[in-house]
Amino acid sequence: MRINDERLHRHFEALSRIGATDQQGIDRPALSAVDIQARTWLQQRIETAGLEYRMDAAGNQSALLTGRQPDGPRLLLGSHLDSVPNGGRFDGALGVLAAVEVLHTLSENNYAGDIVLEAVNFTDEEGSHVGLLGSRAMLGQLAAEDLANPFLGRRAFEAGLQRLGLNPDDLFAARRSPSQLAAYLEVHIEQGPVLAEAGDAIGIVTGIVGIRRQTFTFQGMANHAGTTPMDRRRDAGRAAATFAVSAWQTVAQAYRDCVINIGDMRYHPGSFNVVPAAVAVDLEMRAADETRLKALHQQLLAVAQAQASACDSTLACGPHEHLGPVAMDEGLQALLTQAAQELGLRYRKMASGAGHDAQSFATVCPAAMIFVPSAGGVSHCPQEFSEWQDCLNGVELLLQAVIAFSAHQ
Ligand SMILES: [Zn+2]
């Protein structure tokens, strides 16, 4: 049994036109008018395939394929149709199309397994309003406080939900019983350069990195920028700048398995002619290994403290946000490995540096992900590109994995 390449490609091209930008990118933020257009397209795609269509209280759209047992455990295949502003055509879209195509193919081949197959388009994976909204709502991982401060404000969020006929108070009703979930599988572009540079066809994801975020505020003293001698300044700007350089060196030298990002620095009072009194530095750290992530965090705190002292400043640390790494299921990884070998696809095991709906599932049921190469390793931009053969390989692997999974239940 193989995927219908022509049909999959045709659907990819059609979907790529919804929210298309001048530079061949996609601008399809969750719950926007364009997102609704993509959702309508998907519903038609599902219904034309003869699959059962549903949408839950969180706006997650599903295609269902039932075999011998209509109430059997479910294998979910999913991703997201929403994009970041001015994003790419492949991120998320490939995974949703893959999931529906796999169900369509199995349906044409008179699927008669014991598990129910469900292809899902999750609401707002990218966090235009609330990150991983749909998958978290489905798994009961959404709290009322998560909805209090949507990224674009509460009014925009409610207006978006209204476009779908949804009510914010009802989102929690999307919750499913974990006992119903047999497993979760997702195809996604890598969004990094590893597979393409190594010439590998497939990435079998071992886990999704943990993230720590904290704002470090260096405090010095505001003073006249013309009359204060250089050696007499308590310059918070100098402390922040030397910290940024030292943090970069620390990771390059001793934490090659981690990444950091200083995404913003805010100067106070922020003027040409005033020595900065305070600089707030937004630091994010990611690693697949929790112990290493914690060690890096401690090390960077020490580096920040040392740079503050060296610049006659002090350090104040904001509360830190912490999302632990999640491991993908070993059994599913083994199943994907075998399927990749049987298809003759060169694969590598790798961690995902980006967050995905799969991380919501990993704590509830066995979950795994298939990565396909990203040309140039770029993503979340119009230049995002994957060779079609690479995309097709990922979808073929998903199909074979689903067949193997349902045979072993
Ligand atoms: Zn994505």
Side-chain angles (χ1 to χ4, degrees), residues 42-199:
L42 181 65
Q43 180 176 356
Q44 282 165 1
R45 161 81 188 95
I46 290 168
E47 289 172 346
T48 307
L51 299 164
E52 187 183 336
Y53 172 80
R54 282 190 201 167
M55 186 177 85
D56 69 15
N60 298 311
Q61 295 180 291
S62 293
L64 284 164
L65 179 62
T66 306
R68 278 192 298 247
Q69 288 194 49
D71 298 319
R74 288 191 188 187
L75 170 59
L76 266 61
L77 315 173
S79 204
H80 58 97
L81 291 189
D82 69 308
S83 82
V84 294
N86 206 18
R89 288 170 288 162
F90 297 83
D91 181 359
L94 177 65
V96 175
L97 291 172
V100 175
E101 188 62 39
V102 164
L103 264 61
H104 195 169
T105 304
L106 287 164
S107 164
E108 288 172 327
N109 286 273
N110 305 312
Y111 174 73
D114 288 329
I115 53 166
V116 176
L117 302 176
E118 181 172 351
V120 192
N121 166 32
F122 293 105
T123 303
D124 201 8
E125 191 271 353
E126 298 288 7
S128 293
H129 300 273
V130 178
L132 304 178
L133 176 73
S135 55
R136 288 197 292 155
M138 183 182 281
L139 298 168
Q141 296 168 357
L142 200 62
E145 53 263 36
D146 294 325
L147 305 178
N149 294 303
F151 190 63
L152 296 172
R154 182 77 187 186
R155 268 179 62 181
F157 180 49
E158 288 181 11
L161 289 174
Q162 215 163 45
R163 281 192 197 105
L164 272 181
L166 300 176
N167 183 323
D169 299 328
D170 295 343
L171 293 173
F172 303 97
R175 183 175 189 165
R176 308 252 188 118
S177 160
S179 62
Q180 200 193 35
L181 302 169
Y184 177 80
L185 285 172
E186 177 168 357
V187 174
H188 204 282
I189 54 166
E190 180 201 334
Q191 303 180 281
V194 175
L195 293 172
E197 280 179 11

Side-chain angles (χ1 to χ4, degrees), residues 285-329:
M285 301 152 270
R286 301 193 192 207
D289 184 301
E290 177 68 6
T291 316
R292 292 285 291 160
L293 188 56
K294 193 175 169 193
L296 173 64
H297 192 181
Q298 295 306 320
Q299 175 97 40
L300 293 183
L301 274 168
V303 169
Q305 193 64 62
Q307 297 301 343
S309 304
C311 299
D312 204 8
S313 301
T314 57
L315 178 70
C317 298
H320 88 262
E321 254 180 78
H322 177 211
L323 192 66
V326 293
M328 297 291 101
D329 183 72

Side-chain angles (χ1 to χ4, degrees), residues 30 92 106 119-120 163 181 207 212-213 217 228 250 287 308 311 353 355 374-376 390:
L106 287 164
V120 192
R163 281 192 197 105
L181 302 169
R212 285 177 180 232
R213 291 177 179 155
T217 302
T228 315
T250 301
C311 299
S374 292
D390 288 330

